[in-house]
């Protein structure tokens, strides 16, 4: 397999190119109690791809000053974050995570949205790396070498959608920019009896988890079927959202693998939509319900 025209690489490719790429671990820890999510550094230090550096999606590659969790970082913040992990303008980057791939896809999208063109995702994450027989490294990770040139971000606004753009596209039923929810079908449907659940009216559903196979790798056949069933054309520029812009980034990656490169992510997603207070939500009977 080559990686020249793909957004994904497999474990064998990464193992053969470890000396030529910067590997970033974008793991975020999910908790049973509050806070729901926390820094994934403990998981990183327990085992990671050799040479990998920890990419903090809480305070570095997101805007910690935003009221909406995991908001895309500012220009100043992304410049500082990339310098911390040794990523310059020409650095070839491979991102992975330790759970489902959406966090890695989020970092992939953040970097691309600020103009970094040399970033790919390890298909299947750390689990695929281990399954391929590769070794893992423990500890805090190796400090990056000093980067000769600093990454200068370019704001790629054509990859980002705001709340008003999303609302207009959904309300108009814009076939050129369909609004797509990347959450599971039950979350998309919501529950009419539970306020605050449901989806953006006028949007359609392509669940990101359904683009993956049982091992957490990208499933080309399943993804192609989802795209065709939803009626999304490769020439379209869909707007993607989810709960907080994470699964939406995963879906953006899955669509990019199928030639839909111009998808935009509604960064604030439902977290911002609900916080607004004036935005409606659509609910329907959940799949499998009799009603």
């Amino acid at each position: 397999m080559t990686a020249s025209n793909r957004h994904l690489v497999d474990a064998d490719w990464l193992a053969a190119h470890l000396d030529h790429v910067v590997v970033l671990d974008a793991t975020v820890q999910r908790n049973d109690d509050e806070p729901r999510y926390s820094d994934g550094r403990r998981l990183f230090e327990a085992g990671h791809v050799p040479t990998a550096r920890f990419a903090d999606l809480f305070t570095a590659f997101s805007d910690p000053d935003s009221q909406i969790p995991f908001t895309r970082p500012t220009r100043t913040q992304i410049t500082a974050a990339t310098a911390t992990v040794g990523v310059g303008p020409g650095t070839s980057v491979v991102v992975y995570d330790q759970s489902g791939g959406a966090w890695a896809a989020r970092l992939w999208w953040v970097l691309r949205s600020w103009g970094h063109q040399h970033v790919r995702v390890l298909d299947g994450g750390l689990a695929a790396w281990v399954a391929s027989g590769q070794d893992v490294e423990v500890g805090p990770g190796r400090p990056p070498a000093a980067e000769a040139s600093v990454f200068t971000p370019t704001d790629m606004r054509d990859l980002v959608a705001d709340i008003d753009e999303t609302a207009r596209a959904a309300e108009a039923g814009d076939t050129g920019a369909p609004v797509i929810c990347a959450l599971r079908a039950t979350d998309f449907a919501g529950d009419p009896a539970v306020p605050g659940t449901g989806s953006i009216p006028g949007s359609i559903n392509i669940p990101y988890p359904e683009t993956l196979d049982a091992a957490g790798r990208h499933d080309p056949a399943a993804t192609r079927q989802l795209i065709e069933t939803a009626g999304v054309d490769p020439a379209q520029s869909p707007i993607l959202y989810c709960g907080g812009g994470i699964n939406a980034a995963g879906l953006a990656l899955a669509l990019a693998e199928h030639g839909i490169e111009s998808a935009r992510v509604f960064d604030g997603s439902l977290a911002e939509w609900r916080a607004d207070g004036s935005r409606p939500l659509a609910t329907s009977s959940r799949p499998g319900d009799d009603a």
Side-chain angles (χ1 to χ4, degrees):
M1 175 187 123
T2 65
S4 58
N5 296 307
R6 290 172 55 86
H7 297 278
L8 294 170
V9 300
D10 62 24
D12 290 339
W13 185 94
L14 180 56
H17 292 81
L18 270 184
D19 293 337
H20 308 289
V21 300
V22 167
V23 183
L24 299 180
D25 185 317
T27 298
V28 169
Q29 181 166 327
R30 184 165 185 166
N31 306 310
D32 294 332
D33 301 317
E34 293 298 332
R36 188 176 179 189
Y37 299 104
S38 59
D39 188 316
R41 188 177 296 276
R42 182 184 64 82
L43 296 175
F44 169 78
E45 293 187 0
H48 52 262
V49 172
T51 77
R53 301 159 190 174
F54 181 66
D56 185 353
L57 275 172
F58 273 86
T59 60
F61 287 95
S62 297
D63 181 358
D65 299 322
S66 174
Q67 297 299 308
I68 305 298
F70 301 112
T71 296
R72 179 173 174 255
T74 65
R75 182 184 301 274
T76 299
Q77 290 165 348
I78 193 65
T79 301
T82 51
T84 298
V85 294
V87 170
T91 306
S92 182
V93 180
V94 175
V95 187
Y96 75 92
D97 65 33
Q98 300 186 29
S99 57
W103 299 110
R106 175 67 185 188
L107 184 52
W108 166 85
W109 175 78
V110 165
L111 289 169
R112 291 182 73 236
S113 77
W114 279 113
H116 201 294
Q117 299 300 314
H118 310 290
V119 54
R120 301 182 181 91
V121 172
L122 172 60
D123 196 13
L126 186 65
W129 177 262
V130 173
S132 71
Q134 304 295 336
D135 293 333
V136 297
E137 190 173 73
V138 299
R142 308 175 193 179
E147 180 62 42
S149 53
V150 175
F151 172 62
T152 301
T154 300
D155 195 353
M156 307 296 287
R157 291 301 305 173
D158 58 343
L159 295 179
V160 186
D162 64 25
I163 191 170
D164 292 326
E165 291 171 318
T166 303
R168 286 194 297 269
E171 183 177 357
D174 190 343
T175 57
V179 178
I180 305 174
C181 178
L183 294 173
R184 296 180 187 277
T186 51
D187 295 319
F188 175 77
D191 186 339
V194 180
T197 66
S199 54
I200 295 174
S203 64
I204 59 177
N205 187 208
I206 299 181
Y208 165 66
E210 294 184 17
T211 69
L212 306 176
D213 65 16
R217 296 181 176 90
H218 176 65
D219 187 328
T223 303
R224 188 178 305 109
Q225 183 61 53
L226 288 165
I227 292 170
E228 292 174 356
T229 300
V232 179
D233 188 277
Q236 293 178 327
S237 299
I239 296 175
L240 315 179
Y241 75 96
C242 57
I246 308 302
N247 274 10
L251 183 57
L253 174 61
L255 295 181
E257 281 292 283
H258 288 263
I260 304 175
E261 300 272 357
S262 57
R264 292 183 286 165
V265 171
F266 170 23
D267 192 26
S269 284
L270 286 176
E272 182 179 1
W273 189 271
R274 292 178 180 129
D276 182 278
S278 67
R279 308 284 180 169
L281 287 165
T283 57
S284 62
S285 299
R286 295 181 178 225
D289 287 353
D290 294 331

